[in-house]
Amino acid sequence: MAEAVISLADVTKRFAAAGPPAINAVTATLAAGRITGVVGPDGAGKTTLIRLMTGLLRPDGGRITVAGHDTVDAAARIHGLIGYMPQRFGLYEDLTVAENLRLYADLRGLPVAGRGPVFDRLLTFTGLVPFTRRLAGALSGGMKQKLGLACALVQTPRLLLLDEPSVGVDPISRRELWRMVRTLVGDGISVVWSTAYLDEAEDCDDVILLNEGEVLFCGAPQDLTRRVTGRTCHLSGIEARRRSVLAEAVDADTVIDGVIQGRNLRLVFRDPVAEAGRDLLAGLTGVQPAWRLDPVPPRFEDAFVDILGGGPRGRSALAAGRPAGDRMGDTVIEAKALTKRFGSFTAVDGVSFAVARGEVFGLLGPNGAGKSTTFRMLCGLLRPSGGTAGVDGFDVAATPAAARSRIGYMAQKFSLYGNLSVRQNLRFFSGVYGLRGADRQRQIDRMIDIFALAPHADAPAADLPLGFKQRLSLAAALMHDPPVLFLDEPTSGVDPITRREFWSHINGMVERGITVLVTTHFMDEAEYCDRIALIYRGREIALGSPDDLKAQARNGDLPDPSLEDAFIALVEASDAADRSAA
Amino acid sequence: MTRILALVVKELLALLRDPRGRSVVIGPPIVQLFLFAYAATLEVSNVAVAVYDQDHGRWAQELVQRIAGSPTFTDIRSLDSARDLRRAVDTQAVIMAMQIPQDFSADIEAGRPVSLQLILDGRRSNAAQIVNGYALRIVAGINADLAAERGQAGAASVIVARNWFNPNLHYHWFTVPSLIGTIGMLVGLAVTALSIARERELGTFDQLMVSPLRPAEILVGKTLPSLLIGIVHATVFLLVATLAFGIPFTGSLVLLYASLTVYLVSVVGVGLFISSLAQTQQQAFLGAFVFIAPAILLSGFATPVENMPLWLQHFTLINPLRHFLVIVNGVFTKDMPADTVLANAWPLVVIAAVTMTAAAWLFRRRLG
């Protein structure tokens, strides 16, 4: 084992005396010269743990040493050794790139004389040379993180702590960030990288996996992934029925986890695939000869779900109450040459697509590419500058109230009334959608029942655990049985169990004729979609099923591209086409 | 209707279940009521005045005694020359000097009109104005007594005097009713200005906008709760004013509540306008502050409007608080008749219409 750069001994931190601790008895050692991932869903305690490591928070119990210094007694010594990049950019948005760098150099007491070469090196390293005069607030998410990284590096630190550096960063910039951090590790810097994206865990040298303030696993990610080796497979050949097959499969005792990946299912078995798979196929209804089980390499996420005791099972009770959908295949959501201009800037440029009843349609794209703007025009939050948006037969701009009554909407972050109780929130949303009397009460009771909200029904919504907030948001969006559901990055940051539960409801509803439009930059979520429109620089650069998009990116170097590979390839191809046109 | 009702209930719950919201609505207004009523009272007392009596007759004596008898004027200095008078005012030894001319008593006895000269220290314009008012009242008292002495229906004139004036010179009688207007504005504005901005910050605003609620319904749903809270406040203040401070309520409750409603709508309109403009609660708060400070300064609450330069007096006409203060004080202590109330209330109707229209326009525009 290499020399330890951070050691945590039985560290506990609580913010409310009564509540559960934010960090509970964490013991871990972080080796020098490596990338250590602090991995876990939102609310797991990642930021708290990193702030404890920087000495910005004092532990309530236990001891932390950074490079041999105690964080309580020698916080100032530690601050001289580390670079820290807080979540949400510790940048001054009203200063330019160069001014931000200068400010951090001043704060670090870097002598003015030696600054020129340092700045040049950092700007070159982060690719920000052309943007030194731009305001930090005007940078894209990825560029902000690169600038944040540069600011944390003005004085070469021994230890670099990055709190969720990849949030709001598109896949291309994310790969660049990883490359940069790898270079730094090569120079002998130790790095702590926190993330809610489980796929990033596999790129770390070591991982501290946190859930609800407790360490589930500490060590090399491969050691964790190994526990599910031989138990993971794809079920293919089921394309049209994959949602109902998934619901049935995860109900089987042999299956501990299942998700949709494009046209296939990814299943994790309790026992090795060989026999367990045969048993499963024997047990499913309507098995066709074309159905096949192929082993696939395990992922970190599979192992995480395995530790947590498996994904949720069963069918969605929400869908069970709905009549089976009819007129499947009719067009329900339609964008025709949708365009939005803000001043001279064209945010969305002639985007067109049609979504059929019972389809899950994804808008995928980097931040600032125009996917949110497209989404907001379709649900009536923004007026298009050109083109039309139609929902369930209504023109959103011409008859907004009628169109909106057909829509259920779930915002990206929890956006219900935090100081209203669960029941009051449901009462409000049912009232807003015109439900009254006994219908209203029946619907509220039904939602509380389906989402198991009863124990929290009178608690303020803000105090709910994250998973329950998610359920409440979905319940509020579905109060009026809308035929169309708009989801804005519905499960970013939530733990994998909650995400599966959420999608089991969505899948069930879709089977019964609900149409779903979802924006996401999250590849796992995109895999659940029937079709995806890839939005880049305001234009729709690709449209097709996840497997179609992957096929477009397939080449000799990438025989089996992931959706992220496909995303990057398509965006780069679009850039190349723009360059040759220019 | 169900939709608006749901919105109103939500709005009230959101405010009252939030400890911070609760404290904004309940705590400070009550504290301010007592603070303003006692500490920030505009009463002028323990004032030194000078009298330069050139008459020394019966009526001059009567006048000096009445001044000495008023609790406001505790220090009466007798002067012997115009030069002393000038020095007394110059050195701020007294705030007012009264010059009683020769033949003052003789003229009164003969039934001829007389004049008195009051010299006031204009450097302390507020206090001087108030002292001036006191002095005029004392003189008016003498007039009334004179009229009575000369065989007119004395009892009647005494009653009229009580209704019209504030004979004991209690300044609570002005301050406390005025607080219905000023604090009503503070709370009404704070509640509405923050409401939309808060929803923007929390992301619940989008959630509202994708519901079938029309913009007009949202505005109504935002206006009613603030109106309700404002009216509850006013009622509490009314009760405190009459029960705790013993201020007699002389006018018509219907007139008061009707004008209060129009007044609050105009204030809520301003609040909604600010709220539509602001992206964050912080901006909304600053916006409210930018409005409230001049609205109170230019209302006649602290500085009489008549003391302001003429152009500024015209400017105060767009201030709803200025009009409402006239109404609330008039209705409260002077039994202001309906036509006078109306004369002061129609500008409020205009202001309310303008602010609400502007808020609705901006609100729609911000959706584009």
Side-chain angles (χ1 to χ4, degrees), chain A residues 135-216:
Chain A
L135 291 184
L139 296 175
S140 74
M143 289 203 282
K144 278 182 187 163
Q145 294 295 39
K146 288 175 198 164
L147 176 57
L149 188 61
C151 289
L153 291 171
V154 284
Q155 199 173 43
T156 308
R158 272 182 64 185
L159 169 67
L160 184 62
L161 297 139
L162 308 171
D163 195 0
E164 301 214 27
S166 49
V167 165
V169 174
D170 60 88
I172 299 173
S173 305
R174 185 159 80 132
R175 288 200 177 174
E176 286 167 0
L177 270 177
W178 270 102
R179 248 193 316 268
M180 288 174 198
V181 170
R182 273 279 162 223
T183 315
L184 294 174
V185 172
D187 294 345
I189 297 175
S190 312
V191 175
V192 176
W193 173 301
S194 85
T195 182
Y197 301 119
L198 297 174
D199 55 341
E200 286 187 352
E202 293 169 26
D203 295 331
C204 299
D205 299 318
D206 294 304
V207 160
I208 298 176
L209 179 60
L210 281 178
N211 196 50
E212 294 177 355
E214 301 196 11
V215 175
L216 289 185

Side-chain angles (χ1 to χ4, degrees), chain A residues 402-530:
Chain A
R404 285 177 192 150
S405 69
R406 320 295 295 155
I407 295 174
Y409 171 87
M410 201 174 131
Q412 176 175 3
K413 55 176 195 165
F414 178 72
S415 59
L416 302 181
Y417 296 94
N419 53 19
L420 264 62
S421 73
V422 168
R423 204 184 291 278
Q424 285 164 342
N425 266 297
L426 293 176
R427 273 197 77 74
F428 170 63
F429 282 101
S430 57
V432 159
Y433 282 95
L435 269 66
R436 55 174 81 195
D439 276 354
R440 184 177 184 181
Q441 198 52 50
R442 196 173 324 114
Q443 190 70 332
I444 292 172
D445 291 343
R446 190 174 150 244
M447 288 299 175
I448 289 181
D449 189 43
I450 288 174
F451 289 104
L453 291 166
H456 302 282
D458 295 308
D463 297 349
L464 294 180
L466 199 68
F468 279 90
K469 282 185 181 164
Q470 179 88 15
R471 292 181 190 181
L472 179 60
S473 301
L474 186 59
L478 292 170
M479 213 65 215
H480 56 299
D481 278 328
V484 181
L485 202 48
F486 281 77
L487 307 171
D488 193 3
E489 310 224 343
T491 62
S492 64
V494 308
D495 64 88
I497 307 294
T498 305
R499 183 170 346 119
R500 282 158 178 70
E501 187 190 293
F502 177 84
W503 278 100
S504 85
H505 287 304
I506 300 300
N507 286 336
M509 309 276 286
V510 165
E511 297 257 280
R512 286 184 153 62
I514 274 208
T515 310
V516 177
L517 184 76
V518 53
T519 71
T520 187
H521 64 268
F522 204 50
M523 297 304 152
D524 277 5
E525 214 158 58
E527 297 272 15
Y528 280 96
C529 299
D530 292 295

Side-chain angles (χ1 to χ4, degrees), chain B residues 55 59-60 63 100-109 114-116:
Chain B
D55 177 57
W59 287 105
L63 183 60
I100 305 175
Q102 282 177 12
D103 309 328
F104 179 70
S105 302
D107 284 347
I108 290 178
E109 296 291 353
V114 293
S115 56
L116 272 173

Side-chain angles (χ1 to χ4, degrees), chain A residues 338-422:
Chain A
L338 265 185
T339 300
K340 181 71 191 178
R341 282 180 288 271
F342 297 106
S344 63
F345 172 67
T346 304
V348 174
D349 190 1
V351 168
S352 299
F353 55 81
V355 186
R357 190 180 310 278
E359 194 176 17
V360 179
F361 190 87
L363 291 173
L364 187 66
N367 279 7
K371 67 176 191 301
S372 291
T373 309
T374 308
F375 182 82
R376 292 171 71 82
M377 283 191 283
L378 280 163
C379 54
L381 286 171
L382 270 180
R383 213 181 296 279
S385 319
T388 55
V391 170
D392 207 24
F394 296 98
D395 184 321
V396 178
T399 50
R404 285 177 192 150
S405 69
R406 320 295 295 155
I407 295 174
Y409 171 87
M410 201 174 131
Q412 176 175 3
K413 55 176 195 165
F414 178 72
S415 59
L416 302 181
Y417 296 94
N419 53 19
L420 264 62
S421 73
V422 168

Side-chain angles (χ1 to χ4, degrees), chain B residues 28 39 84 94 116 125-126 180 182 198 233 255 267 313 323 344 352:
Chain B
D84 287 350
V94 298
L116 272 173
S125 66
N126 261 355
I180 296 180
T182 47
R198 181 172 52 226
H233 266 130
L255 284 176
V267 170
Q313 289 192 29
H323 301 284
N344 285 290

